[in-house]
Amino acid sequence: MKNIKYKNYKLNTIQKNIIIGSILGDANLAMYGRSINAYYREHGCDKQISYREWKLKYLKNLDFKIRYNEKIPSLVSPSHPIYTNLYNLFYINNVKTITKDNIKLITHPIALACLYMDDGTLVMDINTKKNNIYIFPRIAIYTLCFTKEENQILINHIKKVFDINFKLKYSPYGKNYLLELNKRNEIKKFIDLVKPYVCEVDSMLYKIDLENRLKKQYDVLSKKYPLKNIIISSLTVENNNYSLEDEKLIIKLKQNNVKDREIATILNRSYYGLTDKIRRLRKEGKL
């Protein structure tokens, strides 16, 4: 076989996490024609073109492109050994699969942002008790193409790396399970984690616009049920996960210029959970 020379692409952390987060969502890796290597492809409706263009900004130097001439424009890469290696990691018997090994490649919040923008939704639920109507948010990520066991692997990894506590929820569709957040602390933490990246895509802002979505639901219900008491769930994040001693140690270590990753190791906490705690300490004026 003739030796084939390939362009020397190098994926940085952001690019790798965008690609992997997208593979878990709407994107696919595939072989085509006589190519001996896989390529990346994803497509969506016209309303999502700006979202594909956002990914393209990060991936353009890898020679990704959008095929605008297609009926449903797709974001594609060249075929390359990089994607063949990822294909071999994420496709078992040609089926997209989550394993305890391949999930370790998710190391940055932008991967979760991509998965959420691909397959996630922010829902405003209501519950009626006597004369009260309660409004509370819920986040669902429709990972229905994965089994219960695969979803649990994903949940465990998100908890370990990002300190977000998703739970499994049964669904009659797909392979029967998806990821869900319904506790206000976890919803707020998740939105804060992915917000810097979702904010870059105007068409996706509704997925993180928690306060306005709650207010709109309140206004709708107030008009529909003028005699009922409409109550919006509090968005206050409780800091029960850290003891007073933990807080004092974090403050002391930060004042001594100890790096966040070192503090996370000292406290046996996830890096992103620790940085979220530091952000809240600063907001409270404690740091």
Side-chain angles (χ1 to χ4, degrees), residues 122-124 137-138 184 187-188 191 205-215 235:
L122 175 61
V123 181
M124 297 298 120
R138 171 171 56 87
R184 65 182 187 272
I187 292 170
K188 192 68 167 57
I191 288 177
L205 291 176
Y206 71 97
K207 294 195 177 192
I208 57 170
D209 194 9
L210 187 53
E211 293 185 14
N212 282 330
R213 293 278 300 278
L214 284 167
K215 185 179 183 303
L235 297 181

Side-chain angles (χ1 to χ4, degrees), residues 260-273:
D260 292 352
R261 289 194 182 277
E262 293 180 40
I263 298 175
T265 301
I266 291 169
L267 292 174
N268 194 27
R269 301 274 183 167
S270 76
Y271 170 71
Y272 290 106

Side-chain angles (χ1 to χ4, degrees), residues 83-104:
Y83 309 112
T84 304
N85 292 337
L86 289 175
Y87 183 92
N88 292 333
L89 282 173
F90 283 92
Y91 287 75
I92 298 176
N93 296 323
N94 296 320
V95 177
K96 192 186 296 186
T97 306
I98 294 175
T99 70
K100 291 181 179 179
D101 289 327
N102 65 27
I103 202 63
K104 292 176 183 177

